[in-house]
Amino acid sequence: RPGNWSDAVDLAGLPRRPWKEVRAPGLHWSCIAAVVRCSEPAASDAVPTNSTWAGCLAILSIVGVRLVCADAGGEDAASAAVLAEFDIARVLQVTAKKHAADVLIFYFHESTLPPAERDAGCGQRPQQQLPEPSMVLHFQNGTADVETFILALRDSYAASQEPAPQLAAQKSPGSTTTIREKVSARTPNETEKP
């Protein structure tokens, strides 16, 4: 179980995905799930623990336009228990602390905004306060896996957007590396009007 879940959460009650999807070549990474926002059926049972680095072995996968975090245990079964699943288009921010570059913190939009609202302000995002992290994952194979994941996430994010965004790594105050999307306000089908 992720570190923020109680022992009372029954993994057998979670949604499942076939291992073939979760372990697609080049689109999965081994990690330790320290924090995962609990899915609706298990949410009432989840309680944070006091141990920051408690967690479970997990697989982070890109499955189509979805980001899937699955329990790595039970590989003898035909399918994996899905700890969390998010639309890639809803990625708000992914950060890594300077002194723990192999630990990524994931933030997602709580709801999908219409493109006009999302891109308000001449293509700039309105200033918004970050929600609570949806996932905190420690990549077991270090920063090399983090880099390949970020590249795959950028490609998948670009494929899921209209118009296509660019994800840019930036240093933010407080010594974190930040991945933020920059989305053009104009779709490819629009033309400039005189």
Side-chain angles (χ1 to χ4, degrees):
R1 285 169 186 78
N4 64 318
W5 290 20
S6 78
D7 290 337
V9 175
D10 182 15
L11 296 181
L14 295 176
R16 303 193 76 77
R17 279 197 176 257
W19 280 110
K20 182 178 177 181
E21 286 182 4
V22 174
R23 292 207 177 265
L27 294 175
H28 72 276
W29 299 267
S30 296
C31 56
I32 296 172
V35 174
V36 176
R37 185 173 61 197
C38 216
S39 63
E40 291 302 320
S44 61
D45 296 328
V47 292
T49 63
N50 292 330
S51 177
T52 305
W53 292 107
C56 66
L57 296 178
I59 305 288
L60 181 64
S61 303
I62 295 177
V63 180
V65 295
R66 308 281 292 168
L67 196 57
V68 176
C69 182
D71 182 55
E75 291 191 40
D76 52 336
S79 59
V82 175
L83 304 173
E85 188 167 339
F86 301 95
D87 286 325
I88 289 174
R90 295 178 64 193
V91 171
L92 177 63
Q93 185 174 0
V94 176
T95 63
K97 292 288 185 187
K98 182 179 179 181
H99 297 291
D102 56 351
V103 176
L104 294 183
I105 304 168
F106 294 79
Y107 300 90
F108 293 88
H109 291 284
E110 293 301 318
S111 63
T112 304
L113 297 173
E117 288 181 36
R118 184 177 62 223
D119 301 329
C122 300
Q124 300 279 332
R125 301 186 89 163
Q127 189 67 19
Q128 47 183 280
Q129 185 175 358
L130 285 177
E132 289 293 314
S134 296
M135 294 190 296
V136 177
L137 305 177
H138 174 249
F139 283 69
Q140 290 185 289
N141 296 322
T143 57
D145 269 6
V146 169
E147 291 171 9
T148 60
F149 166 73
I150 293 297
L151 290 174
L153 180 62
R154 284 179 180 166
D155 290 345
S156 296
Y157 188 93
S160 73
Q161 294 293 300
E162 284 298 324
Q166 298 173 338
L167 291 175
Q170 303 172 339
K171 286 282 188 181
S172 65
S175 299
T176 61
T177 302
T178 304
I179 306 300
R180 297 179 188 223
E181 70 227 38
K182 295 179 180 178
V183 182
S184 168
R186 184 178 303 147
T187 64
N189 296 334
E190 290 180 339
T191 57
E192 268 189 45
K193 296 188 170 114

